[in-house]
Amino acid sequence: MNFYRRRELTPEVLEFLAGYDREVRRLVGADYPHPLRMRDWELWKVLRAVEGLPEDAAILDAGAFNTYLGAYLGRTHPRVVV
């Protein structure tokens, strides 16, 4: 198990996550009243890990409870299973 520290949420990471928020907000609508993400440091690590995958790579999101990661990843990867 990996543990992350809040100091890992650098300005670069926070800006990247803000971009995630903007894209997900576009997908769910501007008036969607619920949070768009949880566990920022884990989301950041996952998004960084899938950045280098080939476009046709299959991605399985097995921990998809109450998240929009699958919808976000579906923008660039055609084989996302949630």
Side-chain angles (χ1 to χ4, degrees):
M1 176 179 285
N2 290 324
F3 293 94
Y4 305 105
R5 305 226 171 0
R6 186 154 299 281
R7 71 176 173 260
E8 291 184 63
L9 296 175
T10 64
E12 172 194 5
V13 171
L14 295 175
E15 179 55 36
F16 185 90
L17 292 174
Y20 171 89
D21 289 346
R22 285 188 296 274
E23 180 62 21
V24 171
R25 180 72 56 202
R26 187 184 68 74
L27 295 170
V28 299
D31 58 343
Y32 186 74
H34 304 290
L36 300 179
R37 59 182 153 96
M38 300 182 328
R39 300 190 314 240
D40 296 347
W41 52 92
E42 291 176 2
L43 177 61
W44 165 247
K45 296 288 183 175
V46 168
L47 293 174
R48 290 296 303 225
V50 300
E51 272 185 350
L53 293 177
E55 285 187 21
D56 63 344
I59 300 173
L60 170 64
D61 181 2
F65 177 76
N66 197 22
T67 136
Y68 302 95
L69 181 59
Y72 180 83
L73 292 175
R75 302 169 315 118
T76 57
H77 292 83
R79 298 176 56 205
V80 178
V81 177
V82 178

